[in-house]
């Protein structure tokens, strides 16, 4: 489908898209509120990060609809949480309370949307109020501008307040002088009640409007106060609050020197792979599962008879045929059960793809580009978690394509292209994987430019850069720190680079490749597992611990004389099949003590190596023992337990929980290195 | 009751609406210098605030109304407002 409708009228949004938003928002709000409550009292960077990601995801989803109040509030909340993540604002009770209030508002609006399809009346005012509160929260920390001289004229009556204001936020302030009429109490006014509604209040003075009359003639119901204040609320908000007393107020906008409100970009926000908690399932599939479970129970009953015969003294030879038949039958049924169960989790990619036309149109309009979007292969089915986790990376790729790929209309015509850029988001099945691609016909990536930028950023030594072939240079866009996207946009922005896209895709079990021809366009392909499937694992041991290594990452196993491992400058290495391969001990990678037989010299004369692929490199991981193979369904670790280098857990045959390693992440880091990136 | 005498103190409790200004002023004028305890107060009408501004009684406790605690208490704490 294409998105070429020029008027800004809302695209028809399918009801189920709204329903999906409602379901997602309920989950995210609940999870984030729980996290916030946990945060109250014990600041924890991981929890702040989770709340941030929940809000970030919510914002991304809300941006697909025409709910500006919701979006504005989520944007403000995201700013506040981003500051807490960056440490410029304390993740203390103020932030927690405010964020809980914001989530509460979002929850109420979500229910209103579920009931009526629209935000409730008053949402706009509430959103503005809460957003202003977030700004206030951010003000003292981010407004560290030492320059106290106002750049704009401040009226005399505001000068004293302005001078008293120690720290000054960047941007404009609104000053207000409010002299209520003496009889205002009789008309029901509560002047300070109005002031109270300004959420960005920075300074306040109360002065007698006229000299106080002597106490003998005190009239408590005659108002003789003059209110002077400064606020970060913008002028229209202030005017709205005082709209009923316009004759009694004077409002001035004071320009203050612009100071960078955004601090240096923090660690690239991770693209969340939101855990799923609900799943809509076709009833027919449940029936099939129940039938399979019945068959399995019957097969087990047959096996029970064989066991009973063995118990009454039947010989093994007599029992063997029955045991074989039973094993075969149970094996077939469990495989079928597994396939059916996995099938429950599949959903067509259309559910993700159809959110894109609207998002793309907004992005294109904001950037002043003309773009048509074509969706292909929307019917392709994929695991629900994978589909959900794909939305953000794909949205980011789309934004990149519009921002950096598609040229402005005039430049396109000069290059002999149609003025409207063309972006294709496609999906196709390939064996047990699904390939999702984002292709544009824009200017393409220029290897020379990429090399230059990588050099400027010091991402790679100059000679290494020069040695890169064209494909290698194009691959530079995935290097952490390469992205320049520093602007904060409503859709994605916030400096999420291609490295974050690749990381998000890797967490889904996928890989990410790019192809580009200068002048002709760029294609980014994500290859993803269709379903969570049984993973073949190599079992390895270090000391008493046993771990699983996914077999598809293991290139070969080797036992070599220890003498063939040399200590080279950066570490140990050996030569295997004419290639020099670094050797890392698993114990070191996991920060475990080396096995009981002490330092390397005292170990057995043979080293056991599992050679794994890590990107284009091969790395040998030394282990104490190989302990066989196993099949397992790998479950990701909960976020709290996540540790770089661990892919998840699986149950081993004896019911023990086995930790499954992620070789690429494991060898990509030095032991003890945290998650922080510059 | 939102304004009441409690021994040596005058207590502001709950929301203090406009009409309480008169009660408060009367209590304060009857015994100048009586301290006002406002930690149980959850809101003050401007008229009540004006009485505090005019008569400047010593204040006890942290006002239970966050707006007043944040913005009004500092104004009422200084000896002279002008």
């Amino acid at each position: 489908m294409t998105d070429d409708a020029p008027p800004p009228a809302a695209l028809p949004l399918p009801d189920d898209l709204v329903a999906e938003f409602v379901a997602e928002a309920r989950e995210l709000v609940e999870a984030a509120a729980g996290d916030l409550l946990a945060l109250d009292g014990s600041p924890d960077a991981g929890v702040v990060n989770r709340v941030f990601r929940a809000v970030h995801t919510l914002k991304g989803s809300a941006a697909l609809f025409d709910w500006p109040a919701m979006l504005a509030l989520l944007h403000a909340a995201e700013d506040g949480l981003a500051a807490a993540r960056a440490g410029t604002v304390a993740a203390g009770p103020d932030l927690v309370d405010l964020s809980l209030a914001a989530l509460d508002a979002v929850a109420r609006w979500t229910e209103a949307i579920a009931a009526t399809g629209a935000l409730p009346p008053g949402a706009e005012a509430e959103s503005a109020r809460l957003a202003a509160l977030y700004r206030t929260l951010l003000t003292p920390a981010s407004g560290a501008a030492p320059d106290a001289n106002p750049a704009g004229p401040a009226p005399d009556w505001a000068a004293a307040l302005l001078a008293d204001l120690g720290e000054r936020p960047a941007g404009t302030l609104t000053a207000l002088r409010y002299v209520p009429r003496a009889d205002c109490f009789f008309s029901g006014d509560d002047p300070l009640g109005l002031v109270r509604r300004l959420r960005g209040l920075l300074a306040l003075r109360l002065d007698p409007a006229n000299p106080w009359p002597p106490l003998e003639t005190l009239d408590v119901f005659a108002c003789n106060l003059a209110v002077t204040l400064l606020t970060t609320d913008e002028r229209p908000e202030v005017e709205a609050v005082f709209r009923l007393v316009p004759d009694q107020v004077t409002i001035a906008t004071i320009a203050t020197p612009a100071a960078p409100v955004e601090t240096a970009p923090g660690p690239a926000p991770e693209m969340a792979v939101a855990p799923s908690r609900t799943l809509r399932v076709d009833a027919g599939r449940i029936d099939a599962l129940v039938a399979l479970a019945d068959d399995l129970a019957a097969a087990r009953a047959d096996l029970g008879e064989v066991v009973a015969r063995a118990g009454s003294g039947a010989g093994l030879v007599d029992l063997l045929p029955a045991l074989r038949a039973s094993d075969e039958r149970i094996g077939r049924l469990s495989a079928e059960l597994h396939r059916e169960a996995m099938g429950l989790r599949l959903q067509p990619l259309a559910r993700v793809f159809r959110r894109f036309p609207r998002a793309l149109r907004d992005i294109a309009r904001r950037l002043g580009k003309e773009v048509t979007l074509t969706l292909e292969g929307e019917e392709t089915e994929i695991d629900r978690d994978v589909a959900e986790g794909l939305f953000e990376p794909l949205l980011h790729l789309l934004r990149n394509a519009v921002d950096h790929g598609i040229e402005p209309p005039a430049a396109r015509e000069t290059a002999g292209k149609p003025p409207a850029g063309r972006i294709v988001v496609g999906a196709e099945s390939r064996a047990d994987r699904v390939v999702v691609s984002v292709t544009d016909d824009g200017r393409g990536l220029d290897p020379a430019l990429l090399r230059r930028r990588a050099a400027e950023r010091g991402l790679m030594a100059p000679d290494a850069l020069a040695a890169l072939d064209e494909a290698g240079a194009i691959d530079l866009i995935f290097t952490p720190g390469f992205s320049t996207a520093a602007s904060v946009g409503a859709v994605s922005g916030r400096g999420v680079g291609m490295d974050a896209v690749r990381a998000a895709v890797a967490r889904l079990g996928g890989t990410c490749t790019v192809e580009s021809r200068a002048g002709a366009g760029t294609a980014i392909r994500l290859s993803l597992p269709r379903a969570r499937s049984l993973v073949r694992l190599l079992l390895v041991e270090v000391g008493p611990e046993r771990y699983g290594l996914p077999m598809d990452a293991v290139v070969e196993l080797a036992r070599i004389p220890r003498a063939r491992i040399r200590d080279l400058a950066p570490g140990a290495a050996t030569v295997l099949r004419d290639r020099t391969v670094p050797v890392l001990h698993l114990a070191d990678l996991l920060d475990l003590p080396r096995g009981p037989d002490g330092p390397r010299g005292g170990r057995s004369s043979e080293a056991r190596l599992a050679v794994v692929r890590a990107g284009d490199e091969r790395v040998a991981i030394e282990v104490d023992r190989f302990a066989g193979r196993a099949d397992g369904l790998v479950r990701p670790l909960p976020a709290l337990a996540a540790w770089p280098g661990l892919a998840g857990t699986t149950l081993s045959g004896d019911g023990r929980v086995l930790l499954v390693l992620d070789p690429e992440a494991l060898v990509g880091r030095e032991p003890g290195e945290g998650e922080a990136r510059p | 009751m939102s304004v009441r005498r409690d021994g040596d103190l005058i207590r502001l409790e709950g929301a203090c609406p406009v009409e309480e200004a008169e009660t408060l002023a009367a209590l304060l004028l009857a015994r100048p210098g009586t301290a006002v305890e406002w930690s149980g107060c959850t809101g003050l009408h401007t008229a009540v605030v004006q009485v505090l501004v005019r008569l400047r009684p010593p204040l006890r406790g942290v006002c239970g109304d966050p707006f007043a605690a944040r913005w009004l208490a500092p104004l009422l704490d200084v000896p002279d407002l002008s």
Side-chain angles (χ1 to χ4, degrees):
Chain A
M1 72 187 271
T2 57
D3 174 38
D4 51 6
L11 286 178
L13 284 168
D15 283 348
D16 51 349
L17 193 53
V18 175
E20 258 173 46
F21 172 82
V22 167
E24 184 189 30
R26 283 176 182 151
E27 279 179 19
L28 286 170
V29 166
E30 192 187 329
D35 278 338
L36 276 172
L37 291 171
L39 203 56
D40 210 3
S42 60
D44 175 327
V47 179
V48 174
N49 206 23
R50 268 212 310 280
V51 178
F52 169 82
R53 289 198 312 228
V55 170
H56 182 68
T57 306
L58 256 177
K59 191 195 74 173
S61 302
L64 305 172
F65 302 92
D66 190 22
W67 302 324
M70 172 97 84
L71 193 59
L73 175 56
L74 288 168
H75 198 80
E78 188 188 24
D79 282 337
L81 292 162
R85 244 166 50 123
T88 54
V89 153
D94 286 352
L95 181 74
V96 169
D97 287 351
L98 181 53
S99 301
L100 282 172
L103 286 174
D104 177 59
V106 170
R108 277 184 281 110
W109 299 344
T110 302
E111 295 314 313
I113 287 163
T116 68
L119 289 175
E124 209 164 310
E126 190 173 10
S127 166
R129 187 172 64 75
L130 291 168
L133 269 175
Y134 271 110
R135 280 200 296 280
T136 314
L137 198 63
L138 291 181
T139 303
S142 60
D147 187 355
N149 298 321
D156 290 344
W157 48 263
L161 271 186
L162 208 53
D164 287 346
L165 203 58
E167 286 178 313
R168 169 92 54 86
T172 56
L173 297 180
T174 308
L176 174 96
R177 180 160 174 88
Y178 175 20
V179 186
R181 286 202 319 265
D183 63 353
C184 70
F185 296 161
F186 291 100
S187 42
D189 287 357
D190 182 1
L192 290 174
L194 296 178
V195 173
R196 198 183 269 272
R197 281 158 63 184
L198 296 173
R199 291 305 165 163
L201 195 58
L202 286 177
L204 176 70
R205 273 177 77 96
L206 293 179
D207 300 292
N210 296 297
W212 292 110
L215 280 182
E216 294 75 42
T217 60
L218 176 69
D219 179 359
V220 298
F221 295 128
C223 186
N224 186 36
L225 290 174
V227 180
T228 319
L229 62 84
L230 289 175
T231 175
T232 58
D233 292 272
E234 280 161 24
R235 190 179 179 124
E237 294 163 23
V238 177
E239 284 173 345
V241 169
F242 293 91
R243 67 189 181 282
L244 296 177
V245 290
D247 54 323
Q248 299 159 48
V249 296
T250 315
I251 300 178
T253 306
I254 303 175
T256 61
V261 173
E262 286 294 319
T263 50
E270 288 169 51
M271 289 184 170
V273 179
S276 66
R277 292 182 202 86
T278 58
L279 195 60
R280 259 168 269 158
V281 173
D282 175 35
R285 286 188 138 153
I286 297 286
D287 294 344
L289 270 179
V290 171
L292 271 172
D294 287 348
D295 287 354
L296 201 57
R300 188 213 153 268
D302 285 355
L303 181 61
E305 271 177 39
V306 182
V307 172
R309 277 166 60 198
S312 57
L316 189 57
V317 177
D318 297 337
L319 295 177
L320 202 53
L323 278 173
R324 281 212 179 102
S326 197
D327 177 47
E328 187 271 333
R329 188 173 165 201
I330 290 176
R332 183 172 42 77
L333 285 170
S334 62
E336 221 170 300
L337 193 60
H338 181 253
R339 202 168 47 245
E340 280 292 329
M342 287 299 119
L344 290 180
R345 304 186 46 89
L346 295 182
Q347 64 164 234
L349 271 166
R351 296 171 75 151
V352 176
F353 280 13
R354 71 180 166 214
R355 303 195 211 166
F356 289 135
R358 186 193 167 100
L360 186 84
R361 192 190 48 168
D362 290 350
I363 296 167
R365 182 170 296 127
R366 207 165 299 140
L367 295 170
K369 306 272 178 81
E370 280 179 51
V371 181
T372 64
L373 175 66
T374 309
L375 301 177
E376 288 172 356
E378 303 122 286
E379 68 290 344
T380 311
E381 288 199 317
I382 197 162
D383 183 274
R384 188 221 191 235
D385 282 356
V386 178
E388 284 302 309
L390 265 181
F391 176 69
E392 271 211 50
L394 283 177
L395 188 62
H396 187 70
L397 292 177
L398 278 177
R399 187 180 199 283
N400 268 355
V402 180
D403 201 355
H404 307 304
I406 304 294
E407 311 91 327
R412 289 181 62 85
E413 286 193 89
T414 313
K417 296 180 186 179
R422 189 174 139 85
I423 295 181
V424 181
V425 177
E428 59 177 319
S429 290
R430 281 191 200 158
D432 59 350
R433 296 185 82 77
V434 170
V435 176
V436 178
S437 58
V438 176
T439 312
D440 69 65
D441 68 345
R443 60 171 72 93
L445 296 168
D446 177 357
L449 181 74
L450 299 177
R451 276 202 188 89
R452 204 156 60 235
R453 195 195 274 176
E456 283 163 14
R457 287 165 191 269
L459 298 175
M460 214 183 260
D463 49 342
L465 273 175
L468 287 177
D469 60 8
E470 193 155 302
I474 286 176
D475 231 36
L476 283 171
I477 60 170
F478 293 114
T479 315
F482 186 84
S483 166
T484 51
S487 68
V488 177
V491 179
S492 68
R494 221 171 272 279
V496 178
M498 287 297 289
D499 58 317
V501 171
R502 180 174 263 185
V505 171
R507 273 196 295 279
L508 299 169
T511 56
C512 189
T513 55
V514 60
E515 253 177 67
S516 185
R517 271 197 304 136
T522 304
I524 294 183
R525 288 192 183 78
L526 316 180
S527 168
L528 298 144
R530 184 202 319 282
R532 282 214 209 136
S533 53
L534 292 174
V535 177
R536 306 228 73 186
L537 295 171
L538 169 72
L539 304 179
V540 297
E541 292 183 342
V542 178
E545 310 289 341
R546 178 180 285 192
Y547 297 92
L549 265 177
M551 284 293 277
D552 60 1
V554 178
V555 183
E556 68 169 308
L557 303 181
R559 288 178 192 216
I560 59 166
R562 194 163 292 285
R564 281 181 49 199
I565 301 181
R566 305 268 168 79
D567 269 317
L568 300 176
T574 188
V575 175
L576 285 173
R577 300 183 197 281
D578 298 331
R579 280 173 75 154
T580 304
V581 180
V583 178
L584 303 167
H585 200 286
L586 185 56
D588 296 341
L589 292 172
L590 294 172
D591 270 343
L592 294 172
R594 288 286 186 102
D597 35 8
R600 190 173 290 157
R603 306 191 140 221
S604 66
S605 59
E606 266 192 344
R608 290 169 175 79
L609 304 177
V611 183
V612 300
R613 256 190 306 273
D616 298 332
E617 306 285 316
R618 289 182 176 198
V619 176
I621 298 180
E622 185 182 349
V623 301
D624 291 348
R625 281 170 304 281
F626 296 126
R629 289 161 199 227
D631 290 338
L633 185 63
V634 178
R635 289 164 211 283
L637 289 165
L640 264 185
W643 176 261
L646 288 184
T649 61
T650 189
L651 285 179
S652 64
D654 58 2
R656 281 196 302 170
V657 174
L658 183 74
L659 287 171
V660 179
L661 304 171
D662 173 353
E664 191 147 340
L666 197 61
V667 301
R669 307 170 176 267
E670 292 302 314
E673 187 185 344
E675 279 209 274
R677 261 193 307 237
Chain B
M1 194 185 290
S2 47
V3 174
R4 66 181 173 96
R5 175 185 293 286
D6 182 5
D8 286 336
L9 290 176
I10 296 169
R11 284 192 188 278
L12 304 188
E13 286 164 333
C16 300
V18 60
E19 55 273 18
E20 299 293 345
E22 199 157 42
T23 318
L24 178 62
L27 288 173
L28 283 171
L29 287 173
R31 290 175 65 177
T34 309
V36 172
E37 209 291 338
W38 63 348
S39 57
C41 171
T42 56
L44 303 94
H45 191 274
T46 307
V48 180
V49 175
Q50 183 175 247
V51 171
L52 296 176
V53 168
R54 179 71 183 93
L55 300 177
R56 311 203 60 79
L59 292 167
R60 299 273 184 270
V62 175
C63 186
D65 168 14
F67 175 82
R70 167 71 183 84
W71 295 108
L72 302 181
L75 299 178
L76 297 168
D77 250 351
V78 290
D80 191 2
L81 197 80
S82 64

